């Protein structure tokens, strides 16, 4: 019987993984464009000589060649990791994820595809599944419920959005979960060489993936460090401090630029910006509310307040009945503290209130809240059928409602850019004049630019001379945000006061340019 149950359980695991990969692949096919940060992922991993595209103003481009130079390695650049060191030292991120991306892209020189990044994230998702399962099993000591929790997190909107976003946050989640599992597994156990080695390598790996990992690691180590002090195990305390110090030294030796990136100077805008944001305490509460709404919606389907109320009721009932193991419940409680503190710090320092910055602690918060609830309910409710049925209903509701919170589509499939792609198809016979200030803002419009007959980049001050040289009767105009459109339109009208300018597209929070159709002939308002 035990062998049969094991085989059924393994079939359940295989079925879950197959369904999850198929589900993610479906949304991967639906991903119709790149976020500008995803273009940066490819460019920083593969382009030699500049962290932004190098554009020659006034040159007429067509197709994809100019962007291939930035986004894909050529034959001479494949497996050349000096590219990453040169580029990332000028950026504000550590190099590990870019190293993996460059390795994959090196097998496909002179081309780039969303699948190069997505396949990497799909493989990382399999690691996340395993880590979530083992962490849940450590907390609940119930492999069936651990698998159900793993499946619930694996299908929630925040997890799928994370996997579809070709940035370092999926890899950061692997390290966040791994170091949390390490501490959870060794909770109340004697620390051995495997613990110290694991802590060292995970601390280095996570730091080399995303500097925000250090915030989570700090709070995680603080919580368990206090426990060590309370136990007065001074040998472990010394080894603990020594291991973390060695990890910090190793990180600086591997990546000296991290000190500049984190502390901030004139070349590290994000580091300085984080410190500046931390000073603006009056803005903290709105930021906290924004992140709470993200967590509540994309992770818990809007059910977090209800779950917390149920948790309080279950805890009170369990205490009155004086049943269950307090050690297990305390371990789950400790799980939530570092994740919650991480979110508070991110709310204070992150440049924007986006879900990407809290993705790495998503499974921690998910397991923390739900495992505490299920632990308390297991102690308070006697009937096993009621406990199991209630858990399945809650998890199903959380997953389904998480998708409702994002409009039944994950983030980062970029379907909101279809309007621009449709405009490009409609005006495919036209040329584009792209007025810009900084070359990186051009990246967000790559897909539609490829659809036009050709495109030319120009600074606002050079627009009048370019128009005089080209003498075109009609063209599509891209005007990047932040520019004075009155200056741009004046340069157009100076050539011919009878020119009509029709707005085709107004930028939104994921578009950097307004799009216009410019013609000497009158344009119908329809």
């Amino acid at each position: 019987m035990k062998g049969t149950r094991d085989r059924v359980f393994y079939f359940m695991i295989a079925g879950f993984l197959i369904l999850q990969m198929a589900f993610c692949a479906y949304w991967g096919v639906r991903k119709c464009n790149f976020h500008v940060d995803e273009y940066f992922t490819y460019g920083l991993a593969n382009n030699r000589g500049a962290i932004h595209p190098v554009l020659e103003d006034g040159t007429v481009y067509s197709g994809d060649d100019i962007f291939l130079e930035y986004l894909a390695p050529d034959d001479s650049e494949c497996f050349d990791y000096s590219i990453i060191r040169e580029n990332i030292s000028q950026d504000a991120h550590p190099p590990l994820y870019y190293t993996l991306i460059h390795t994959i892209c090196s097998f496909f020189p002179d081309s780039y595809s969303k699948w190069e990044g997505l396949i990497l994230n799909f493989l990382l998702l399999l690691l996340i599944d395993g880590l979530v399962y083992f962490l849940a099993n450590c907390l609940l000591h119930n492999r069936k419920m651990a698998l159900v929790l793993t499946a619930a997190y694996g299908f929630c909107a925040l997890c799928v959005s994370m996997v579809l976003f070709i940035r370092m946050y999926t890899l950061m989640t692997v390290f966040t979960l791994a170091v949390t599992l390490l501490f959870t597994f060794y909770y109340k156990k004697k620390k051995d060489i495997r613990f110290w080695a694991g802590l060292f390598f995970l601390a280095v790996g996570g730091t080399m993936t995303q500097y925000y990992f250090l915030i989570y690691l700090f709070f995680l180590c603080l919580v368990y460090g206090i426990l060590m002090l309370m136990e007065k195990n001074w040998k472990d305390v010394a080894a603990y401090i020594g291991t973390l110090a060695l990890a910090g030294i190793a990180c600086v030796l591997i990546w000296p630029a991290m000190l500049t990136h984190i502390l901030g100077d004139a070349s590290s805008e994000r580091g300085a910006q984080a410190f500046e944001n931390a000073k603006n305490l009056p803005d903290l509460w709105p930021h906290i509310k924004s992140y709470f709404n993200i967590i509540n919606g994309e992770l818990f389907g809007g059910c977090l307040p209800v779950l917390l109320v149920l948790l309080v009721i279950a805890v009170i009932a369990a205490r009155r009945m004086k049943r269950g193991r307090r050690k297990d419940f305390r371990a789950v409680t400790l799980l939530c503290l570092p994740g919650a503190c991480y979110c508070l710090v991110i709310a204070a320092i992150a440049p924007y209130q986006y879900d990407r910055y809290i993705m790495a602690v998503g499974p921690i918060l998910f397991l923390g809240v739900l495992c505490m609830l299920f632990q308390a309910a297991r102690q308070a409710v006697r009937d096993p059928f009621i406990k199991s049925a209630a858990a399945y209903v809650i998890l199903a509701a959380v997953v389904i409602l998480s998708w409702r919170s994002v409009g039944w589509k994950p983030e980062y499939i970029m379907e909101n850019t279809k309007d621009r792609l449709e405009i490009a198809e409609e005006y495919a016979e036209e040329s584009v004049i792209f007025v810009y200030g900084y070359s990186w803002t051009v990246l967000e419009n790559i897909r539609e630019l490829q659809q036009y007959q050709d495109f030319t980049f120009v600074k606002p001050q050079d627009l009048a001379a370019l128009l005089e040289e080209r003498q075109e009767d009609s063209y599509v105009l891209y005007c990047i945000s932040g520019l004075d459109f009155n200056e741009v339109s004046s340069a157009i009208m100076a050539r011919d006061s009878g020119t009509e300018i029709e707005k085709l597209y107004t930028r939104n929070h994921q578009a950097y340019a307004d799009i216009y159709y410019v013609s000497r002939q009158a344009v119908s308002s329809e």
Side-chain angles (χ1 to χ4, degrees):
M1 284 296 294
K2 186 178 184 300
T4 301
R5 287 197 299 269
D6 286 343
R7 284 194 293 271
V8 170
F9 184 73
Y10 296 142
F11 277 121
M12 290 171 61
I13 293 176
F16 154 62
L17 294 177
I18 291 170
L19 286 174
Q20 185 189 44
M21 289 297 107
F23 189 64
C24 291
Y26 166 78
W27 289 113
V29 172
R30 291 278 298 271
K31 185 179 175 71
C32 64
N33 208 335
F34 288 82
H35 187 281
V36 65
D37 285 353
E38 295 176 304
Y39 282 120
F40 274 129
T41 295
Y42 285 86
L44 292 170
N46 298 320
N47 182 59
R48 182 184 297 282
I51 63 173
H52 298 149
V54 177
L55 308 175
E56 295 183 9
D57 291 3
T59 299
V60 178
Y61 298 103
S62 63
D64 203 25
D65 289 345
I66 179 62
F67 301 120
L68 278 175
E69 293 179 12
Y70 177 71
L71 298 170
D74 60 29
D75 289 331
S76 66
E77 295 169 334
C78 293
F79 303 104
D80 185 351
Y81 298 99
S82 66
I83 294 173
I84 298 168
R85 180 167 291 274
E86 293 170 6
N87 287 343
I88 307 303
S89 62
Q90 302 176 58
D91 191 53
H93 298 98
L96 183 54
Y97 187 73
Y98 298 100
T99 301
L100 298 177
I101 289 290
H102 177 74
T103 301
I104 294 173
C105 291
S106 294
F107 289 102
F108 310 97
D110 298 313
S111 66
Y112 70 94
S113 165
K114 63 185 177 183
W115 292 108
E116 292 166 334
L118 289 179
I119 288 174
L120 172 60
N121 281 2
F122 290 173
L123 294 175
L124 293 173
L125 179 59
L126 294 176
L127 289 177
I128 290 171
D129 289 334
L131 292 167
V132 171
Y133 168 77
F134 286 116
L135 183 55
N137 198 33
C138 276
L139 296 170
L140 296 177
H141 307 287
N142 184 325
R143 66 176 189 172
K144 183 178 179 181
M145 184 54 67
L147 178 59
V148 173
L149 275 167
T150 304
Y153 169 74
F155 280 104
C156 77
L158 184 67
C159 178
V160 177
S161 295
M162 174 186 69
V163 174
L164 295 172
F165 189 37
I166 307 173
R167 292 289 278 174
M168 72 287 295
Y169 299 103
T170 308
L171 182 58
M172 179 184 170
T173 304
V174 170
F175 283 107
T176 300
L177 280 167
V179 73
T180 305
L181 177 60
L182 179 71
F183 276 99
T184 304
F185 181 79
Y186 277 94
Y187 177 61
K188 296 296 183 182
K189 287 185 179 181
K190 180 177 175 57
K191 311 300 186 290
D192 56 22
I193 187 63
R194 290 176 298 178
F195 174 83
W196 305 118
L199 178 59
F200 174 84
F201 287 109
L202 292 175
V204 172
T207 305
M208 290 297 98
T209 298
Q210 174 40 282
Y211 296 132
Y212 284 165
F213 174 81
L214 286 170
I215 300 172
Y216 179 77
L217 183 65
F218 169 80
F219 287 112
L220 183 70
C221 292
L222 178 63
V223 168
Y224 285 92
I226 291 173
L227 291 178
M228 287 184 185
L229 289 172
M230 292 172 62
E231 294 170 357
K232 297 182 179 180
N233 190 335
W234 307 118
K235 184 178 178 180
D236 278 356
V237 170
Y240 193 57
I241 295 172
T243 301
L244 293 174
L246 286 174
I249 293 170
C251 288
V252 173
L253 292 176
I254 294 169
W255 193 243
M258 69 175 286
L259 294 178
T260 301
H261 291 165
I262 295 173
L263 298 177
D265 65 3
S267 64
S268 180
E269 180 182 348
R270 283 295 171 84
Q273 188 179 29
F275 283 108
E276 187 62 31
N277 290 341
K279 298 176 185 177
N280 298 325
L281 292 180
D283 296 332
L284 181 58
W285 179 243
H287 293 178
I288 291 174
K289 289 197 295 185
S290 294
Y291 278 112
F292 178 83
N293 290 334
I294 292 170
I295 294 168
N296 184 34
E298 296 184 37
L299 190 61
F300 292 102
C303 299
L304 183 55
V306 176
L307 294 175
L308 294 177
V309 170
L310 291 175
L311 173 60
V312 171
I313 294 172
V315 168
I316 292 173
R319 285 186 175 275
R320 291 188 63 181
M321 298 178 70
K322 298 181 180 180
R323 299 170 59 213
R325 296 189 298 177
R326 294 184 63 184
K327 184 183 76 170
D328 292 341
F329 191 78
R330 184 184 299 171
V332 181
T333 305
L334 293 174
L335 184 69
C336 291
L337 292 177
C341 292
Y342 170 89
C343 291
L344 289 175
V345 174
I346 290 299
I349 70 171
Y352 311 104
Q353 286 70 61
Y354 293 156
D355 58 3
R356 71 193 75 164
Y357 298 119
I358 50 90
M359 285 175 172
V361 297
I364 306 297
L365 298 175
F366 189 85
L367 291 181
V369 171
L370 290 169
C371 285
M372 274 200 294
L373 176 59
F374 294 158
Q375 281 278 22
R378 184 163 64 181
Q379 297 172 18
V381 179
R382 294 180 180 275
D383 191 319
F385 175 79
I386 294 177
K387 288 187 289 188
S388 298
Y392 297 151
V393 169
I394 288 173
L395 291 174
V398 164
V399 173
I400 293 170
L401 293 175
S402 75
W403 284 94
R404 189 184 70 170
S405 73
V406 295
W408 306 106
K409 295 178 183 178
E411 301 288 338
Y412 308 109
I413 60 172
M414 307 304 293
E415 286 195 343
N416 60 335
T417 67
K418 280 187 173 180
D419 290 348
R420 284 180 286 149
L421 296 173
E422 290 170 357
I423 290 171
E425 292 176 2
E426 182 179 351
Y427 291 86
E429 300 302 317
E430 298 286 347
S431 297
V432 169
I433 294 179
F434 200 119
V435 187
Y436 75 105
Y438 300 98
S439 61
W440 71 266
T441 53
V442 171
L443 290 174
E444 205 264 347
N445 305 101
I446 287 178
R447 282 295 305 278
E448 63 260 28
L449 290 178
Q450 296 168 357
Q451 312 302 317
Y452 293 103
Q453 178 175 301
D454 55 61
F455 45 93
T456 304
F457 302 105
V458 63
K459 298 290 197 318
Q461 62 269 25
D462 301 322
L463 177 60
L466 179 69
L467 293 175
E468 189 64 30
E469 177 186 339
R470 293 179 57 136
Q471 294 291 320
E472 291 178 311
D473 289 331
S474 66
Y475 54 88
V476 174
L477 174 74
Y478 276 67
C479 185
I480 217 69
S481 62
L483 299 182
D484 184 356
F485 184 70
N486 290 330
E487 178 185 348
V488 174
S489 60
S490 295
I492 295 172
M493 293 300 180
R495 178 187 168 210
D496 189 339
S497 60
T499 299
E500 295 284 344
I501 302 177
E502 176 192 9
K503 179 174 280 191
L504 302 177
Y505 184 88
T506 300
R507 63 180 178 270
N508 56 32
H509 73 287
Q510 288 184 329
Y512 288 105
D514 288 323
I515 305 174
Y516 302 85
Y517 180 63
V518 182
S519 174
R520 286 186 178 183
Q521 293 78 33
V523 179
S524 170
S525 60
E526 300 179 359

